[in-house]
């Protein structure tokens, strides 16, 4: 294989020397949060990773090349961009062969991280099975990617805009270990708890590293999902989110929002409905995930 990858200097040095690296996605920057919080958060997350002893590798596609580790200018360009592609497995190679620029979703970031030899990845929330998927068939490619690609993905669970029980079923079918990190309950992004149990539970970064190494001893190839609940001080309780989510989903279907636009549209609408509170929660949880992912990356090098 000969993928068109450009590494930043710090990421290249860390990988060459076997030091811990944490991959970070960029769709949260282009489609997940408004300016300027998207830019400030992307920078804060990189600092969080560095403070925890790992090298941050934010991933995006520029002019037909996968960039692993971005400059401040590249990050700012993405944060201000209005028309970059939101790339997933289905269109990653198209963006590269056509020389395009795009941000990477969980699925595309996992693909790129795996090609680059990065084993740990922090995001906010994964895509999943949408409510009403039995009629829309809207199931994020993130789930298939988790079953295919060998990257540990740290998230704050699945947003309650998704059908969480069906999302967990699809992950189980795909052979993806879903770990509650310090919790018995699968987290629901803005809220610490969903109505679902976490299928498995681990309490330390070392335990996650040991599980990962055991999967490698068994020759298992896919990813693992770590569900790390949002810190208590930043959470919005489930009962309170339920109303906002219902409103946003009803409006989206009435307006005919479909395909790739569904998740960004719902996230933006929920920021409005919560008068910005959901954004503050989103920022807190991604920073928390970055710290836990860094601890896991460090544990893997021990
Ligand atoms: N969750 C968030 N913010 C985001 C996303 C998820 O809180 O920006 C993004 C991620 O990049 C995820 C993508 O991979 O949305 C899922 O999109 P879709 O549902 O279209 O697969
Ligand atoms: Mn979708």
């Amino acid at each position: 294989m000969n993928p068109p990858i450009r590494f930043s200097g710090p990421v290249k040095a860390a990988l060459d020397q076997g030091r811990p690296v944490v991959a970070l996605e960029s769709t949260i920057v282009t489609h997940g949060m408004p300016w300027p919080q998207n830019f400030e958060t992307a920078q804060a997350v990189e600092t969080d990773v560095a403070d925890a002893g790992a090298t941050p590798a934010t991933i995006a596609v520029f002019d037909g090349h996968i960039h692993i580790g971005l400059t401040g200018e590249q990050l700012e360009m993405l944060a201000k961009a209005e028309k970059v592609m939101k790339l997933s497995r289905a269109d990653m190679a198209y963006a590269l062969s056509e020389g395009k620029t795009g941000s990477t979703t969980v699925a595309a970031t996992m693909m790129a991280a795996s090609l680059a030899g990065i084993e740990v990845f922090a995001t906010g929330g994964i895509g999943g099975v949408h409510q009403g998927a039995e009629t829309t068939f809207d199931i994020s490619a993130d789930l298939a990617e988790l079953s295919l690609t060998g990257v540990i993905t740290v998230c704050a669970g699945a947003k309650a805009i998704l059908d969480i029980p069906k999302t967990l079923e699809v992950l189980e079918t795909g052979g993806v270990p879903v770990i509650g990190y310090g919790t018995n309950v699968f987290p629901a992004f803005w809220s610490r708890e969903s109505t679902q149990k976490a299928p498995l539970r681990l309490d330390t970064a070392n335990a996650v590293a040991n599980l990962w190494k055991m999967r490698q001893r068994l020759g298992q190839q896919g990813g693992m999902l770590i569900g790390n609940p949002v810190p208590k001080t930043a959470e919005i309780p489930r009962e309170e989110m339920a109303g906002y989510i219902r409103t946003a989903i009803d409006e989206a279907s009435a307006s005919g929002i479909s395909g790739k636009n569904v998740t960004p549209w719902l996230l933006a609408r929920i920021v409005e409905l919560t008068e910005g509170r959901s954004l503050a929660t989103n920022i807190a949880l991604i920073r928390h995930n970055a710290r836990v992912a860094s601890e896991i990356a460090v544990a893997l090098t021990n």
Side-chain angles (χ1 to χ4, degrees), residues 39 200 232:
F39 182 50
L200 303 168
K232 264 200 188 73

Side-chain angles (χ1 to χ4, degrees), residues 6-223:
R6 303 231 165 124
F7 290 94
S8 72
V11 172
K12 176 93 175 57
L15 288 171
D16 285 349
Q17 294 163 23
R19 288 188 278 117
V21 176
V22 172
L24 299 163
E25 64 147 310
S26 48
T27 293
I28 193 165
V29 179
T30 57
H31 293 72
M33 285 185 194
W35 172 269
Q37 287 90 349
N38 57 352
F39 182 50
E40 292 161 6
T41 304
Q43 290 182 305
V45 165
E46 290 195 350
T47 305
D48 291 332
V49 170
D51 288 348
T55 299
T58 305
I59 295 179
V61 170
F62 288 94
D63 302 322
H65 290 267
I66 301 172
H67 283 249
I68 313 271
L70 306 186
T71 64
E73 293 75 45
Q74 286 175 318
L75 212 47
E76 184 170 354
M77 185 276 209
L78 286 178
K80 287 181 169 161
E82 309 241 306
K83 279 208 177 99
V84 295
M85 295 179 78
K86 169 188 164 188
L87 300 171
S88 188
R89 169 170 282 263
D91 41 20
M92 180 73 145
Y94 170 91
L96 299 173
S97 66
E98 291 292 311
K100 303 220 180 274
T101 293
S103 61
T104 51
T105 59
V106 167
T109 306
M110 288 181 73
M111 276 178 72
S114 170
L115 288 168
I118 301 171
E119 288 181 300
V120 187
F121 162 40
T123 182
I126 56 160
V129 180
H130 279 261
Q131 292 188 32
E134 54 275 30
T135 51
T136 62
F137 278 54
D138 189 352
I139 301 175
S140 176
D142 293 352
L143 300 183
E145 200 65 42
L146 279 160
S147 68
L148 279 172
T149 301
V151 173
I152 303 172
T153 298
V154 181
C155 70
K159 288 169 288 289
I161 59 175
L162 302 171
D163 185 323
I164 295 178
K166 289 194 182 73
T167 298
L168 290 171
E169 289 290 354
V170 171
L171 287 166
E172 195 205 358
T173 302
V176 180
V178 176
I179 319 290
Y181 194 72
T183 177
N184 293 317
V185 181
F186 189 65
F189 197 74
W190 302 288
S191 319
R192 289 176 59 83
E193 300 197 339
S194 69
T195 55
Q196 304 300 301
K197 275 192 168 159
L200 303 168
R201 172 179 177 151
L202 293 173
D203 290 343
T204 65
N206 273 328
V208 173
N210 287 339
L211 168 56
W212 187 241
K213 288 174 185 166
M214 183 55 71
R215 281 176 58 88
Q216 289 172 331
R217 285 173 64 185
L218 299 181
Q220 290 195 282
Q221 305 218 315

